[in-house]
mmCIF file of all heavy atoms in Angstrom:
data_model
loop_
_atom_site.group_PDB
_atom_site.id
_atom_site.type_symbol
_atom_site.label_atom_id
_atom_site.label_comp_id
_atom_site.label_asym_id
_atom_site.label_seq_id
_atom_site.Cartn_x
_atom_site.Cartn_y
_atom_site.Cartn_z
ATOM 1 N N CYS B 229 15.859 17.836 1.112
ATOM 2 C CA CYS B 229 15.678 19.287 1.058
ATOM 3 C C CYS B 229 16.110 19.881 -0.267
ATOM 4 O O CYS B 229 16.117 21.102 -0.430
ATOM 5 C CB CYS B 229 16.459 19.973 2.180
ATOM 6 S SG CYS B 229 16.005 19.360 3.792
ATOM 7 N N SER B 230 16.467 19.035 -1.243
ATOM 8 C CA SER B 230 17.074 19.599 -2.448
ATOM 9 C C SER B 230 16.093 20.450 -3.243
ATOM 10 O O SER B 230 16.494 21.300 -4.015
ATOM 11 C CB SER B 230 17.623 18.476 -3.329
ATOM 12 O OG SER B 230 16.568 17.680 -3.809
ATOM 13 N N ALA B 231 14.790 20.237 -3.043
ATOM 14 C CA ALA B 231 13.834 21.033 -3.811
ATOM 15 C C ALA B 231 13.161 22.099 -2.953
ATOM 16 O O ALA B 231 12.162 22.668 -3.353
ATOM 17 C CB ALA B 231 12.779 20.116 -4.428
ATOM 18 N N LEU B 232 13.727 22.349 -1.771
ATOM 19 C CA LEU B 232 13.048 23.252 -0.844
ATOM 20 C C LEU B 232 13.795 24.572 -0.687
ATOM 21 O O LEU B 232 15.011 24.633 -0.853
ATOM 22 C CB LEU B 232 12.918 22.588 0.529
ATOM 23 C CG LEU B 232 12.225 21.235 0.559
ATOM 24 C CD1 LEU B 232 12.100 20.745 1.987
ATOM 25 C CD2 LEU B 232 10.865 21.314 -0.095
ATOM 26 N N ASP B 233 13.043 25.617 -0.320
ATOM 27 C CA ASP B 233 13.692 26.914 -0.073
ATOM 28 C C ASP B 233 14.341 26.891 1.319
ATOM 29 O O ASP B 233 14.110 25.973 2.105
ATOM 30 C CB ASP B 233 12.675 28.044 -0.231
ATOM 31 C CG ASP B 233 11.607 27.998 0.847
ATOM 32 O OD1 ASP B 233 11.951 27.786 2.018
ATOM 33 O OD2 ASP B 233 10.424 28.160 0.513
ATOM 34 N N PRO B 234 15.170 27.891 1.638
ATOM 35 C CA PRO B 234 15.944 27.831 2.891
ATOM 36 C C PRO B 234 15.085 27.724 4.144
ATOM 37 O O PRO B 234 15.451 27.017 5.088
ATOM 38 C CB PRO B 234 16.722 29.150 2.883
ATOM 39 C CG PRO B 234 16.821 29.520 1.453
ATOM 40 C CD PRO B 234 15.571 29.022 0.804
ATOM 41 N N ILE B 235 13.931 28.384 4.152
ATOM 42 C CA ILE B 235 13.111 28.337 5.366
ATOM 43 C C ILE B 235 12.527 26.943 5.549
ATOM 44 O O ILE B 235 12.565 26.356 6.636
ATOM 45 C CB ILE B 235 12.002 29.409 5.309
ATOM 46 C CG1 ILE B 235 12.654 30.785 5.410
ATOM 47 C CG2 ILE B 235 11.000 29.214 6.444
ATOM 48 C CD1 ILE B 235 11.736 31.924 5.142
ATOM 49 N N ALA B 236 12.005 26.384 4.452
ATOM 50 C CA ALA B 236 11.466 25.026 4.517
ATOM 51 C C ALA B 236 12.568 24.039 4.880
ATOM 52 O O ALA B 236 12.361 23.107 5.658
ATOM 53 C CB ALA B 236 10.833 24.651 3.181
ATOM 54 N N THR B 237 13.771 24.267 4.318
ATOM 55 C CA THR B 237 14.914 23.413 4.630
ATOM 56 C C THR B 237 15.222 23.451 6.117
ATOM 57 O O THR B 237 15.417 22.415 6.763
ATOM 58 C CB THR B 237 16.148 23.869 3.831
ATOM 59 O OG1 THR B 237 15.837 23.784 2.449
ATOM 60 C CG2 THR B 237 17.344 23.001 4.136
ATOM 61 N N ALA B 238 15.211 24.671 6.686
ATOM 62 C CA ALA B 238 15.515 24.805 8.111
ATOM 63 C C ALA B 238 14.512 24.026 8.952
ATOM 64 O O ALA B 238 14.873 23.386 9.940
ATOM 65 C CB ALA B 238 15.503 26.285 8.504
ATOM 66 N N LYS B 239 13.257 24.067 8.534
ATOM 67 C CA LYS B 239 12.233 23.340 9.300
ATOM 68 C C LYS B 239 12.479 21.833 9.236
ATOM 69 O O LYS B 239 12.350 21.127 10.242
ATOM 70 C CB LYS B 239 10.840 23.640 8.737
ATOM 71 C CG LYS B 239 10.322 24.989 9.159
ATOM 72 C CD LYS B 239 8.852 25.111 8.828
ATOM 73 C CE LYS B 239 8.309 26.448 9.301
ATOM 74 N NZ LYS B 239 6.897 26.588 8.991
ATOM 75 N N VAL B 240 12.794 21.341 8.029
ATOM 76 C CA VAL B 240 13.027 19.899 7.894
ATOM 77 C C VAL B 240 14.258 19.493 8.701
ATOM 78 O O VAL B 240 14.272 18.460 9.368
ATOM 79 C CB VAL B 240 13.166 19.503 6.407
ATOM 80 C CG1 VAL B 240 13.596 18.052 6.280
ATOM 81 C CG2 VAL B 240 11.847 19.723 5.685
ATOM 82 N N GLU B 241 15.296 20.345 8.686
ATOM 83 C CA GLU B 241 16.512 20.010 9.448
ATOM 84 C C GLU B 241 16.234 19.977 10.942
ATOM 85 O O GLU B 241 16.711 19.090 11.661
ATOM 86 C CB GLU B 241 17.613 21.034 9.137
ATOM 87 C CG GLU B 241 18.205 20.832 7.762
ATOM 88 C CD GLU B 241 19.278 21.853 7.434
ATOM 89 O OE1 GLU B 241 19.668 22.617 8.345
ATOM 90 O OE2 GLU B 241 19.710 21.878 6.284
ATOM 91 N N GLU B 242 15.436 20.940 11.385
ATOM 92 C CA GLU B 242 15.070 20.960 12.799
ATOM 93 C C GLU B 242 14.333 19.649 13.143
ATOM 94 O O GLU B 242 14.590 19.024 14.174
ATOM 95 C CB GLU B 242 14.169 22.175 13.061
ATOM 96 C CG GLU B 242 13.592 22.260 14.460
ATOM 97 C CD GLU B 242 14.673 22.371 15.532
ATOM 98 O OE1 GLU B 242 15.744 22.919 15.220
ATOM 99 O OE2 GLU B 242 14.448 21.882 16.661
ATOM 100 N N LEU B 243 13.478 19.267 12.236
ATOM 101 C CA LEU B 243 12.719 18.032 12.407
ATOM 102 C C LEU B 243 13.655 16.824 12.506
ATOM 103 O O LEU B 243 13.499 15.962 13.369
ATOM 104 C CB LEU B 243 11.768 17.876 11.222
ATOM 105 C CG LEU B 243 10.876 16.653 11.166
ATOM 106 C CD1 LEU B 243 10.007 16.592 12.413
ATOM 107 C CD2 LEU B 243 10.001 16.725 9.930
#
Side-chain angles (χ1 to χ4, degrees):
Chain B
C229 303
S230 66
L232 304 183
D233 67 44
I235 291 170
T237 300
K239 283 192 178 180
V240 172
E241 286 179 8
E242 174 61 29
L243 179 58

